[in-house]
Amino acid sequence: MWFGGCWCYRECWVPLIFILCLLWKGNICETVEGFHIETSRTVTVQTSLCVHIPCTFIISNSYTLTQNAKGIWYKDDSVVASKVGFLVPDNPRGRVFLTGDVQKGDCSLSINDAKWSDAGTYRFRIEDGILRFGYIGTKPYVTVTALTEKPDISPIKSLIAGEEVALTCTAPGRCAGTRPTITWEGSINTPAVEDIVLDNPDGNRIYMSNITFTPARKDHTSLLTCKVTYSSDRPRTTSTAISLNVEYPPSLNITIAGVSCYKCYNRSIESRAVTVKEGDSQTMHCAVNGNPQANITWMKGDTIVTSIVSRERLQIELKNISISDAATYRCSAWNQHGNTSRAVDIRVEYPPRRPEISVHGPNGVPLQYVGTDPIVHVPEGSPVSLSCVADSDPPASLQWVKSGQIVGPASPMGQKLQLNLYASDEGIYTCQANNKHGHSNRSITIIMTYKPKAPERYNSSCLRKANLIECVCLIQSFPTASIEWKVNGKSYLSNYTDGNISIVTVQLERVGNSTLTLRRNDGDQQSIQCIGSNANGFLNLQLLEASKENQHWAIMIGVICGVALILLLILAIVLMKHIQKKKPLLMDEHTGGPTVNDSDAIYSNTEITHRTSNGAGMARETQPDDLGPIPEEASTYMNYGEELHYVTIDFSRLKPRAVPAEEEMEYSEVKLK
Ligand SMILES: *[C@@H]1O[C@H](CO)[C@@H](O)[C@H](O)[C@H]1NC(C)=O
Ligand SMILES: *[C@@H]1O[C@H](CO)[C@@H](O)[C@H](O)[C@H]1NC(C)=O
Ligand SMILES: *[C@@H]1O[C@H](CO)[C@@H](O)[C@H](O)[C@H]1NC(C)=O
Ligand SMILES: *[C@@H]1O[C@H](CO)[C@@H](O)[C@H](O)[C@H]1NC(C)=O
Ligand SMILES: *[C@@H]1O[C@H](CO)[C@@H](O)[C@H](O)[C@H]1NC(C)=O
Ligand SMILES: *[C@@H]1O[C@H](CO)[C@@H](O)[C@H](O)[C@H]1NC(C)=O
């Protein structure tokens, strides 16, 4: 019962009906006794749409409606619709018509394709034989408004990219009026559209359109519009737009601040190498586009660094980058529709580390540092190679520097750099390593070792004083030589004292200065040697040579004695013959031997005028490789005419290799007793 709470029946008492009907707002109750109509007081219809105005009426119970009862609706005194009984309306194609069975008291009215002109007051009249009654007190008022009702699009749901979907647009109004045109507008590709008309049992129709398409991810948030156009009168359009929610698997981009991303997104480039500098900081962004939003993870190698649920981006920051940060970093994103990932190879470059130096002697034997400092001792004259390597990325250029000067070749590509040294290349060698990120260096000190030798400009010598012999022995060497004295074949260490001998040794830098003081007993023949030795060899300086002098002296004495004997014999014979004639002679007192002046006689190995730089003008050197006595070729000169004997010895055949051959030695004085 459409009129709900208004209990208006034929049996109603008029006052009751009146009161009840007044209570029901919006309806007009006919108050003439026995006659009554129920309908909407006001009705609103939008242009182009339709409206159904339900209506029932009753007549006085003294009448009964026949089959021929005719219902008539007037608007502004002109008939707009009429109908007899339950037959078809008089104007079946008209826009306004009676829908109900008049005989049964149904006066319902429909207006299709409403026009502005449909607005107004409508009244109903019943005619059945002699019964003619106009329900003038109950006149529904129809208001026509602009078309604002929208089509309906369904279903409203998420679409999935790549999966076909069908949507339906239903035109507003359940009418039997003119069929509207339904169109779709949007950016989707190749939709299929189908119009559908649903006929309702009440004669009304529902106009619909189905659209079938396969959404793509680009369609997400794009608009799809259903437009319904009514063109019975002037064309009027109403439309509904929806924003498509297309779900799709995520895609992602990795961006790194300051690193241009040329072809970053090309699918064929799965992994990109990015070079960063040690100590720098770098932020890597992973921008993810997925619907619904994806879960994102950053992994370093196989380890998850950070992850987040349902976001559009996730970044990781590498701070104070070190070599351990070099790795493949992968950003992965997934939602229920799929997953994706991309990776970036982070390469860490760094300035050269401190170079490593190794030193090799002859035959590639490694030489160790002496002590904790990078000092290496190298035997003089033996080849040495210094090798330098420095870890760096990119490879460092290496070079050797000594005293500010580049020595040897350079290595531009970080390979091991070798420097070969030969004799006398003492000094501090620095290996410098450079790349575009910085430089580093390391130094090594090369010290040459050599066997003991006589220092330049200083000579070892012996000096005779009264009843003493004082010998000074100077020996230069590195490492420090131990100095030993041999007196008449007996060895004495460098610091020694007894009644006859005192030895004091002082070491000054690389020169050892040892002084031997020997109490002299007249008649002793002294042989004094000073021997310096270190790991590289030894030097034997013969400062006094008794045995040779004695031999020479004995030979000389022998010769002299022999000659004297012969002379004496001859003299004796001559005298004997002469004595036979004359008186005998006396011997000369002064021929007993040369007198000796003790005060300042010097035994010296002082070199004669021309010296060479090597300072090797020694009295006599005995070397390991040229041991042996003074060769026979050494010429000996004796001057026996004066009180002194001068002996000159030419050592040209037994000098050390470094000593020029022209050099001459001289025992400047050899004193005879
Ligand atoms: C139109 O779409 C609705 C649901 O969207 C569906 O139930 C109906 O079968 C479709 N009609 C045609 C003819 O495709
Ligand atoms: C990745 O980069 C491409 C090209 O710049 C861009 O079209 C796309 O939207 C980006 N994707 C994301 C998730 O940012
Ligand atoms: C960077 O890292 C290095 C080595 O890990 C460290 O010595 C240095 O102090 C760090 N610098 C800063 C600013 O944290
Ligand atoms: C994202 O992560 C959350 C929390 O771990 C989880 O509940 C959800 O299922 C994940 N989503 C997908 C699509 O895997
Ligand atoms: C990503 O997808 C591939 C294949 O589609 C699957 O094998 C893999 O397990 C997925 N990974 C995640 C994290 O969902
Ligand atoms: C070695 O490196 C230090 C520190 O950088 C620098 O001061 C010095 O000058 C360098 N020495 C050489 C020889 O390159």
Side-chain angles (χ1 to χ4, degrees):
M1 283 189 286
W2 61 270
F3 44 91
C6 188
W7 300 84
C8 297
Y9 292 102
R10 293 177 190 187
E11 297 79 14
C12 286
W13 294 100
V14 172
L16 178 61
I17 290 166
F18 179 71
I19 292 163
L20 287 173
C21 288
L22 280 182
L23 289 175
W24 184 28
K25 282 186 177 176
N27 286 287
I28 305 160
C29 291
E30 188 54 59
T31 54
V32 174
E33 189 181 351
F35 291 85
H36 176 68
I37 189 167
E38 279 296 326
T39 186
S40 302
R41 187 188 200 100
T42 61
V43 173
T44 300
V45 64
Q46 298 185 359
T47 50
S48 302
L49 297 187
C50 58
V51 67
H52 182 76
I53 306 168
C55 174
T56 57
F57 65 93
I58 55 175
I59 56 172
S60 168
N61 54 11
S62 47
Y63 297 95
T64 302
L65 287 175
T66 69
Q67 281 187 350
N68 296 321
K70 183 180 184 184
I72 306 162
W73 278 100
Y74 293 87
K75 172 176 172 276
D76 301 334
D77 295 333
S78 48
V79 175
V80 292
S82 64
K83 186 179 183 184
V84 175
F86 59 88
L87 301 175
V88 291
D90 296 344
N91 53 344
R93 296 180 189 281
R95 293 186 306 107
V96 182
F97 52 95
L98 260 160
T99 61
D101 181 348
V102 177
Q103 191 187 3
K104 290 181 177 165
D106 188 343
C107 51
S108 295
L109 180 74
S110 270
I111 302 172
N112 281 338
D113 301 336
K115 300 177 179 180
W116 291 107
S117 57
D118 293 332
T121 304
Y122 289 73
R123 59 188 171 89
F124 183 66
R125 178 182 170 86
I126 185 72
E127 294 178 358
D128 190 9
I130 58 159
L131 175 65
R132 296 187 183 224
F133 185 82
Y135 292 82
I136 52 170
T138 53
K139 297 181 283 190
Y141 183 78
V142 173
T143 306
V144 179
T145 62
L147 176 61
T148 54
E149 203 175 325
K150 301 290 183 193
D152 175 68
I153 296 176
S154 66
I156 299 294
K157 63 165 188 182
S158 294
L159 315 180
I160 297 167
E163 288 186 14
E164 192 181 76
V165 69
L167 299 182
T168 302
C169 176
T170 306
R174 287 164 58 88
C175 311
T178 313
R179 177 181 185 145
T181 311
I182 305 178
T183 55
W184 295 89
E185 288 177 2
S187 58
I188 52 176
N189 286 333
T190 61
V193 176
E194 184 186 19
D195 287 333
I196 301 158
V197 180
L198 288 187
D199 282 309
N200 274 358
D202 64 2
N204 286 330
R205 284 171 171 167
I206 297 174
Y207 297 104
M208 300 188 296
S209 174
N210 269 14
I211 184 168
T212 306
F213 64 100
T214 304
R217 57 188 299 159
K218 71 163 178 56
D219 297 325
H220 181 53
T221 69
S222 75
L223 290 181
L224 180 64
T225 306
C226 174
K227 201 183 230 180
V228 178
T229 304
Y230 299 92
S231 45
S232 59
D233 185 12
R234 268 187 296 146
R236 290 193 177 84
T237 297
T238 178
S239 64
T240 296
I242 58 169
S243 170
L244 297 181
N245 181 25
V246 181
E247 296 192 349
Y248 49 87
S251 64
L252 66 84
N253 291 335
I254 294 174
T255 53
I256 299 177
V259 176
S260 69
C261 217
Y262 176 66
K263 281 191 174 171
C264 263
Y265 314 109
N266 185 336
R267 281 180 180 275
S268 65
I269 297 176
E270 169 64 7
S271 183
R272 254 178 64 91
V274 171
T275 299
V276 296
K277 190 189 161 198
E278 185 182 56
D280 281 359
S281 294
Q282 195 60 267
T283 305
M284 295 187 279
H285 297 271
C286 182
V288 178
N289 178 10
N291 185 29
Q293 287 185 345
N295 290 358
I296 313 172
T297 295
W298 268 110
M299 295 183 84
K300 176 187 180 183
D302 296 331
T303 313
I304 292 177
V305 179
T306 178
S307 61
I308 198 164
V309 173
S310 296
R311 289 294 164 85
E312 287 183 327
R313 58 176 52 245
L314 180 63
Q315 66 188 47
I316 53 172
E317 195 175 355
L318 304 178
K319 282 184 180 159
N320 190 13
I321 290 169
S322 68
I323 292 175
S324 63
D325 290 318
T328 298
Y329 292 83
R330 178 171 292 276
C331 178
S332 304
W334 67 96
N335 63 15
Q336 55 262 48
H337 300 298
N339 67 42
T340 186
S341 72
R342 277 180 202 279
V344 167
D345 277 340
I346 295 292
R347 232 190 83 185
V348 178
E349 290 191 341
Y350 47 94
R353 305 292 185 232
R354 267 198 96 188
E356 294 297 332
I357 295 176
S358 54
V359 190
H360 293 268
N363 305 321
V365 179
L367 301 182
Q368 304 300 322
Y369 287 175
V370 180
T372 52
D373 292 332
I375 297 174
V376 169
H377 287 174
V378 176
E380 188 175 39
S382 77
V384 175
S385 79
L386 303 176
S387 295
C388 177
V389 285
D391 179 23
S392 77
D393 194 358
S397 66
L398 300 172
Q399 65 185 20
W400 282 101
V401 170
K402 182 191 183 192
S403 312
Q405 301 289 314
I406 295 174
V407 288
S411 162
M413 281 310 295
Q415 281 111 1
K416 190 173 197 168
L417 177 60
Q418 190 160 321
L419 177 66
N420 294 316
L421 304 178
Y422 302 98
S424 299
D425 273 337
E426 256 189 4
I428 297 172
Y429 291 82
T430 303
C431 176
Q432 296 175 329
N434 286 286
N435 71 5
K436 62 180 176 180
H437 300 302
H439 55 84
S440 180
N441 64 47
R442 190 188 289 270
S443 298
I444 186 168
T445 304
I446 301 287
I447 296 177
M448 294 296 167
T449 64
Y450 48 91
K451 63 188 180 187
K453 61 186 179 186
E456 278 183 54
R457 281 192 286 278
Y458 297 101
N459 291 299
S460 302
S461 60
C462 288
L463 179 67
R464 192 181 287 261
K465 286 180 184 168
N467 60 342
L468 296 177
I469 296 175
E470 193 176 279
C471 295
V472 174
C473 175
L474 296 169
I475 291 194
Q476 183 181 352
S477 66
F478 190 84
T480 304
S482 65
I483 298 178
E484 184 194 0
W485 289 90
K486 270 190 179 165
V487 179
N488 294 333
K490 194 178 173 205
S491 291
Y492 297 91
L493 294 179
S494 52
N495 283 300
Y496 178 84
T497 311
D498 69 11
N500 290 325
I501 296 180
S502 153
I503 301 172
V504 176
T505 303
V506 184
Q507 187 69 31
L508 297 166
E509 287 196 12
R510 295 186 175 191
V511 177
N513 180 341
S514 189
T515 305
L516 173 133
T517 312
L518 177 65
R519 189 173 303 281
R520 184 172 63 137
N521 294 324
D522 273 359
D524 281 357
Q525 299 304 326
Q526 304 295 354
S527 161
I528 297 177
Q529 285 170 284
C530 170
I531 303 159
S533 55
N534 68 7
N536 294 50
F538 66 87
L539 172 69
N540 190 345
L541 293 175
Q542 184 84 48
L543 299 184
L544 260 188
E545 196 167 19
S547 56
K548 283 267 160 88
E549 289 167 13
N550 291 347
Q551 281 172 15
H552 293 315
W553 205 63
I555 293 166
M556 285 187 268
I557 295 293
V559 168
I560 290 164
C561 287
V563 169
L565 215 64
I566 291 164
L567 286 174
L568 278 175
L569 274 172
I570 294 167
L571 195 64
I573 293 164
V574 171
L575 277 177
M576 296 257 282
K577 288 183 180 176
H578 204 268
I579 284 169
Q580 289 170 346
K581 302 170 191 177
K582 293 180 181 181
K583 290 195 283 183
L585 292 169
L586 287 172
M587 287 280 283
D588 187 351
E589 287 175 358
H590 295 285
T591 56
T595 45
V596 174
N597 178 3
D598 281 359
S599 63
D600 57 2
I602 293 168
Y603 295 86
S604 169
N605 64 341
T606 305
E607 197 183 338
I608 53 170
T609 47
H610 302 296
R611 298 191 59 88
T612 64
S613 60
N614 210 336
M618 293 298 116
R620 177 170 166 191
E621 287 185 16
T622 310
Q623 306 286 355
D625 46 356
D626 54 11
L627 288 171
I630 298 169
E632 280 78 41
E633 297 85 27
S635 51
T636 305
Y637 300 92
M638 291 173 61
N639 183 345
Y640 195 58
E642 299 293 325
E643 292 173 342
L644 293 174
H645 294 268
Y646 290 91
V647 180
T648 302
I649 303 168
D650 182 358
F651 287 107
S652 57
R653 304 260 176 133
L654 47 120
K655 282 193 180 101
R657 280 161 300 180
V659 179
E662 307 82 48
E663 201 145 327
E664 274 189 333
M665 296 284 165
E666 183 183 37
Y667 286 112
S668 55
E669 292 178 56
V670 178
K671 185 169 277 185
L672 297 176
K673 300 202 171 188

